[in-house]
Amino acid sequence: MLLFTGGIIIWCIAYQKSYSAWLILSILYSVVYMPTLALSNSMAFAHLEDQKRDFPMVRVWGTLGWIAASWVFPMIWLQTGLHLQWMPPFVVGDEVPQVTARLVDALKFSGLMSFGYAAFCLFLPTTPPKRDAREPLAFAKAFALFRWPSFTLLVVASLAVSVIHQIYFLQTAPFLSSLGIRDSDIGPVMTIGQFAEIAVMAILGRMLVSLGFRKIMVVGILAYFARYAVFGSSEMLPVWAVVSSQALHGFCYACFFAGSYIYVDRLAEEDVRHSAQTVYGIIILGGGPILGGWLSGWLQKACTSDVGVFNYSPFWYTCAVIGLVTAIVFGVFFRDQTAKEA
């Protein structure tokens, strides 16, 4: 129902001509769509025998979907005369006239995809609410996870990471455009991170078993620091080096966020695991993007000269510092408190 309703909303967004209507509908779509992420995680954890080993293999299909959307749509709808080249995205073509105007078709296509996913959900494994649940107010009980110092620190770190994670999606496209990457190539270029994410996801289960949650999540946070440090040094580096640094996104998301989802599921009691994923999701998918949007705007204003020139170097270096400080604090103070390993 959520996906079907979201499909209707996003289809309507494609026809809006005023900013206020677009903003209201976009917020409404976010409200409808965001719960599906926590629900998907909860369903996966409910049916997997070994979450550490198996969840990365489930989550990787979302990454494949991201790659498909970022490559197929631009190549089919935004470019003509495709040919190979040595630098990512490797397959390029000539941009169609008024390419940005045709991006509205992406919204219509997204609406159709949402209807398709809604129909697909009818064939998912039956996962009814537990009638013998010990806690009738599971959502309220999920907040009791804050009694665990590891969960509290994870939430604080996740909030900081989700802020700079949101800034990546807000500012990377115009940043790459400033380096000379064409608009129709930006989506495929950014999927380098998703290809790397697939590779990391493939070994994440074994990495968690051998290294533990703390080390793996620290690696993920440090990957944010490294990527933004490269972005900030773009004036001293060739374009191909900056583009190649997108591969660090694979460690960013897989090691930190996928590892965090698994940790929350292992820490929560069985009857509140879905609610725990929802509470955690509200923080990283709600609070983080809101703060990230504000910080992005404030930093951009601070890094723009009086003549309107946006200096990206201090902007990205600030994000790098946030990542580095978060990694140090998390690495020093986080202790794994999951039931099986406590």
Side-chain angles (χ1 to χ4, degrees):
M1 182 59 70
L2 290 172
L3 288 170
F4 183 80
T5 304
I8 295 175
I9 295 172
I10 203 168
W11 184 272
C12 293
I13 291 175
Y15 291 94
Q16 301 310 307
K17 297 186 180 299
S18 69
Y19 175 74
S20 57
W22 173 87
L23 179 62
I24 292 172
L25 287 173
S26 296
I27 293 173
L28 182 59
Y29 175 75
S30 297
V31 170
V32 172
Y33 173 73
M34 286 304 175
T36 66
L37 300 178
L39 283 168
S40 299
N41 288 343
S42 298
M43 285 190 64
F45 288 131
H47 292 279
L48 296 175
E49 295 182 2
D50 188 333
Q51 291 88 352
K52 260 188 179 181
R53 181 192 65 197
D54 299 331
F55 179 71
M57 294 298 99
V58 174
R59 176 57 187 81
V60 76
W61 287 97
T63 305
L64 289 170
W66 186 291
I67 293 172
S70 298
W71 279 67
V72 175
F73 182 80
M75 290 180 183
I76 293 178
W77 202 242
L78 304 182
Q79 298 180 1
T80 59
L82 298 177
H83 59 275
L84 298 176
Q85 68 172 19
W86 71 270
M87 195 175 82
F90 305 116
V91 180
V92 297
D94 299 323
E95 288 187 342
V96 299
Q98 298 181 328
V99 63
T100 55
R102 302 188 71 174
L103 291 175
V104 69
D105 295 322
L107 294 172
K108 298 177 183 179
F109 187 73
S110 297
L112 294 176
M113 290 291 293
S114 191
F115 295 143
Y117 283 133
F120 175 75
C121 287
L122 299 176
F123 300 94
L124 292 175
T126 302
T127 314
K130 295 183 180 297
R131 298 184 180 277
D132 57 344
R134 299 186 298 273
E135 179 55 60
L137 299 176
F139 188 76
K141 185 178 177 181
F143 279 95
L145 287 173
F146 282 101
R147 74 183 186 275
W148 297 102
S150 65
F151 182 76
T152 302
L153 181 57
L154 176 62
V155 166
V156 173
S158 297
L159 190 60
V161 171
S162 61
V163 166
I164 57 177
H165 182 79
Q166 177 70 4
I167 290 175
Y168 168 78
F169 287 108
L170 291 174
Q171 295 288 356
T172 299
F175 168 65
L176 292 175
S177 181
S178 72
L179 297 179
I181 305 296
R182 300 183 312 168
D183 291 343
S184 58
D185 290 336
I186 289 174
V189 164
M190 291 180 67
T191 60
I192 294 173
Q194 277 67 50
F195 281 109
E197 187 179 320
I198 292 173
V200 178
M201 282 285 191
I203 60 174
L204 180 61
R206 284 172 285 177
M207 291 168 63
L208 285 171
V209 172
S210 60
L211 298 177
F213 284 103
R214 181 171 65 91
K215 292 180 180 178
I216 291 302
M217 287 192 278
V218 166
V219 168
I221 305 173
L222 287 176
Y224 280 97
F225 158 71
R227 180 176 61 188
Y228 292 136
V230 172
F231 281 13
S233 305
S234 60
E235 294 181 356
M236 300 176 286
L237 298 172
V239 174
W240 65 263
V242 178
V243 170
S244 298
S245 70
Q246 297 285 338
L248 289 167
H249 182 78
F251 293 91
C252 294
Y253 191 90
C255 290
F256 185 77
F257 283 112
S260 298
Y261 287 135
I262 298 171
Y263 184 78
V264 170
D265 186 78
R266 288 169 62 87
L267 186 66
E269 296 179 32
E270 184 176 358
D271 58 338
V272 297
R273 283 177 176 169
H274 168 64
S275 297
Q277 293 289 339
T278 302
V279 168
Y280 183 66
I282 289 173
I283 295 165
I284 66 171
L285 301 174
I290 291 173
L291 292 176
W294 173 83
L295 181 60
S296 177
W298 184 85
L299 282 176
Q300 181 171 349
K301 183 177 180 180
C303 298
T304 300
S305 67
D306 294 336
V307 294
V309 177
F310 182 13
N311 186 356
Y312 278 102
S313 289
F315 180 89
W316 292 124
Y317 282 144
T318 302
C319 294
V321 170
I322 294 173
L324 180 61
V325 171
T326 303
I328 292 173
V329 173
F330 188 85
V332 171
F333 295 103
F334 181 82
R335 295 295 179 269
D336 188 352
Q337 294 179 293
T338 52
K340 293 182 179 180
E341 298 178 16

